[in-house]
Amino acid sequence: MSRIQTTFEKLKQRGRKALIPFITAGDPNTQTTVPLMHALVEAGADVIELGVPFSDPMADGPTIQRASERALKHGVALHDVLDMVAQFRSKDVSTPVVLMGYGNPIEAMGWECFATRCAEAGVDGVLTVDFPPEESHEAFGHLHRHGIDPIFLLAPTTSDARIAQVAKLARGYVYYVSLKGVTGAGHLDLSAIAQKIPHLRQHIRLPIGVGFGIRDAETALAVAKLCDGVVVGSRIVQEIENSNEQDLVTNVGKLVKELRLAIDQA
Amino acid sequence: MTYNYPDSTGHFGPYGGIYVAETLMGALDELRVAYEHFSNDPKFRAEFSYELKHYVGRPSPIYHARHWSQRLGGAQIYLKREDLNHTGAHKVNNTVGQALLAKRMGKKRVIAETGAGQHGVATATVAARYGMECVVYMGAEDVKRQATNVYRMKLLGATVVPVESGSKTLKDALNEAMRDWVTNIENTFYIIGTVAGPHPYPMMVRDFNSVVSKECIAQMPELAGRQPDAVIACVGGGSNAMGIFHSYIDMPGVQLVGVEAAGSGIASGQHAAALCAGRPGVLHGNRTYLLQDENGQIIETHSISAGLDYPGVGPEHAWLKDSGRAQYVAIEDGEALQAFHDLCHFEGIIPALESSHALAYAAKIAPTLGQDKVLLVNLSGRGDKDMATVARVSGITL
């Protein structure tokens, strides 16, 4: 059983929802990322989504784009991100790590090489934002062979035919984008999510995480009630951006604890 | 053999495709279906032709640059005068087409990205013409460099949004326009300005611009007694080149040459020649040749011509290169400037700096060819917008 599957099953047994924080690898600098990942786990994270910085993050809002820019200033490349995961894995063997980013850095490394190195480093899943299922068969074949789960996005505008297609290819969990827009955008429509999730479950057997636009404990709780996991990205990255170096890990840990407490009431 | 690309999924061989986040898939699907429908609708085609004739001023003439050809002492150079179109470039062929499509799809708001501002102006123009709200994204650096075009867009009623992220140039404007589109999918049509982006854009933009080569095929026999030996066009994203290449692809006797911007020279690293010096990857919704570092990060480009300053290129050009049907070369800033001045002096035509790259390549090969050879160059735009740039590099303060 994969680490992602184990994690969601344990949560289910205990009647809890997954808290899935996102940070960008190398933001604000390379040495902070691994300690930050451990702090996320200590504060209650169940799965970590680790952003791979890219020069042109088309689906992200300004907050996560700035995180990418900070990381790229330090020259953080995909192989560095894999090294960070390996370092994290040397102390934490149970928390799943999902790499989230865009296809081109992986293309530059080569999918087979990437999948091999993911398996060696202890990466559990890969979400390639700009590779929809239609373009992913060959790429994700490499991931499958190395036991890495391809994680897919679903959107409010995704047709039933495409939901069924994703259902066939996805492993681990699926990530439902809760609003029309980019990461970190404005307002959530909770009633729309409440309607959509049961519909998705008709096709999708995997756990469903919901993200994009979850900004505080209150919305995290409301969303947690409707799905299996809550993804929080821009709000955490904002905390990183606004903290000075010595308080950064503490501040982020505090924020994640608040989110944990909130969603445990779901 | 009939050239029949892209395939039904938008691929030109291994290039093209749809590489976007799930959040855009629905909108692209809606666009693909609408384009398939209306591009075969006689009423739509008739309206497009009417607008091209009466609003844009088509057909654009072909002009035999006799004096310049004589000075060069070789092949005869003919110019397809896209610079004479309304708004001064080929860009408007595409914006008229997409705006008519937007209208039929019931979208009341159009958005666009722009580099130098030419596509932004062409979009603002048609938005005014068809009564649509228009928002143009433009890199903050470009807003500073192209103040006249910014004002032009505002006069036409568009809102110009300076983009402060990334390198603050064209590629960042494109990222920002995509973000707007994904947020406002219901009421917004994204008018992409070149043959790039996810399917169906590369095909659609090519189709709207292919009026250029259709006209050339009819005009060349009248004027030169035959089709040209070579068709030469500059390539940034590649829309004017696809426009003048398209109907010639099935004529194997006609050589197709795309001219990229070599900036300060390919060896200097300061250039925008994705096909000549890049390698395949995925950016802005399609697989194509890209200028990228060893880690797959997109690198900043350089060219004297803002319209060629883009790190990617349309996927159809990537395919024409790999398949050998077209050749791609690169021309440096200095060579383009020389051709710019020569056309001013010898023909009384002020060309755009983009088009000057194609002219410079024609000037390079013409003397090596016999006087019976015929070169057709796409004079894709006029140079009025480049006055400040040319004056600056010539050390003149206006």
Side-chain angles (χ1 to χ4, degrees), chain A residues 106 111 114 126-128 131-133 135-146 148-152 169:
Chain A
I106 304 175
W111 281 90
F114 171 67
V126 171
L127 197 172
T128 320
F131 273 52
E135 304 286 359
S136 301
H137 288 281
E138 200 194 320
F140 290 163
H142 296 290
L143 297 182
H144 278 302
R145 275 197 296 286
H146 290 275
I148 310 293
D149 292 336
I151 313 290
F152 284 95
L169 292 168

Side-chain angles (χ1 to χ4, degrees), chain A residues 58-233:
Chain A
M58 234 165 60
D60 285 299
T63 304
I64 290 177
Q65 171 152 24
R66 283 197 300 273
S68 243
E69 285 170 7
R70 286 191 292 269
L72 288 174
K73 259 192 203 138
H74 299 292
V76 175
L78 181 52
H79 58 85
D80 299 312
V81 179
L82 289 163
D83 289 345
M84 291 174 196
V85 177
Q87 209 190 325
F88 171 77
R89 206 39 96 215
S90 67
K91 285 194 190 143
D92 185 325
V93 291
S94 58
T95 309
V97 175
V98 171
L99 297 188
M100 181 169 178
Y102 296 79
N104 204 51
I106 304 175
E107 291 269 322
M109 179 178 277
W111 281 90
E112 178 56 29
C113 174
F114 171 67
T116 310
R117 294 191 61 178
C118 278
E120 285 167 4
V123 170
D124 300 284
V126 171
L127 197 172
T128 320
V129 178
D130 55 349
F131 273 52
E134 288 86 343
E135 304 286 359
S136 301
H137 288 281
E138 200 194 320
F140 290 163
H142 296 290
L143 297 182
H144 278 302
R145 275 197 296 286
H146 290 275
I148 310 293
D149 292 336
I151 313 290
F152 284 95
L153 293 175
L154 290 172
T157 47
T158 305
S159 67
D160 281 2
R162 294 182 54 78
I163 295 170
Q165 196 180 10
V166 167
K168 273 190 220 150
L169 292 168
R171 302 273 189 284
Y173 61 97
V174 298
Y175 183 154
Y176 180 65
V177 176
S178 52
L179 46 78
K180 295 187 184 102
V182 293
T183 52
H187 23 271
L188 281 178
D189 185 346
L190 286 168
S191 68
I193 301 173
Q195 267 185 354
K196 192 76 181 187
I197 301 291
H199 182 75
L200 295 180
R201 290 208 201 275
Q202 290 172 12
H203 299 273
I204 308 270
R205 296 242 164 79
L206 297 172
I208 298 174
V210 174
F212 277 42
I214 295 166
R215 309 205 52 80
D216 51 31
E218 195 186 338
T219 42
L221 168 61
V223 170
K225 284 179 181 162
L226 305 171
C227 61
D228 307 304
V230 179
V231 187
V232 185

Side-chain angles (χ1 to χ4, degrees), chain B residues 104-268:
Chain B
R104 283 191 168 54
M105 290 173 73
K107 311 281 181 183
K108 297 197 179 342
R109 177 175 181 269
V110 296
I111 57 171
E113 85 293 342
T114 197
Q118 292 308 101
H119 173 59
V121 168
T123 303
T125 299
V126 297
R129 163 77 183 82
Y130 303 115
M132 294 160 165
E133 184 193 345
C134 179
V135 177
V136 178
Y137 291 91
M138 190 169 183
E141 279 301 315
D142 291 331
V143 168
K144 268 188 250 162
R145 289 190 289 202
Q146 306 286 343
T148 315
N149 268 344
V150 173
Y151 183 56
R152 210 169 265 154
M153 287 183 264
K154 287 181 180 166
L155 281 177
L156 291 161
T159 305
V160 179
V161 181
V163 176
E164 299 283 353
S165 57
S167 58
K168 304 180 189 183
T169 58
L170 175 58
K171 74 177 180 71
D172 308 287
L174 210 152
N175 292 334
E176 208 57 38
M178 284 278 184
R179 291 172 182 142
D180 178 313
W181 196 31
V182 76
T183 310
N184 301 295
I185 270 172
E186 273 94 11
N187 70 343
T188 298
F189 188 104
Y190 180 15
I191 300 187
I192 292 187
T194 192
V195 287
H199 179 64
Y201 281 102
M203 173 179 77
M204 181 169 73
V205 176
R206 173 201 71 191
D207 291 351
F208 288 139
N209 270 308
S210 66
V211 62
V212 177
S213 52
K214 281 182 199 136
E215 287 173 6
C216 289
I217 281 179
Q219 292 167 315
M220 282 306 285
E222 268 173 51
L223 200 66
R226 64 184 183 88
Q227 298 300 339
D229 296 293
V231 175
I232 302 169
C234 65
V235 177
S239 66
N240 91 81
M242 272 328 303
I244 200 164
F245 286 178
H246 188 234
S247 302
Y248 280 113
I249 293 175
D250 276 330
M251 291 187 190
V254 180
Q255 197 194 351
L256 307 175
V257 186
V259 185
E260 296 193 298
S264 316
I266 300 283
S268 72

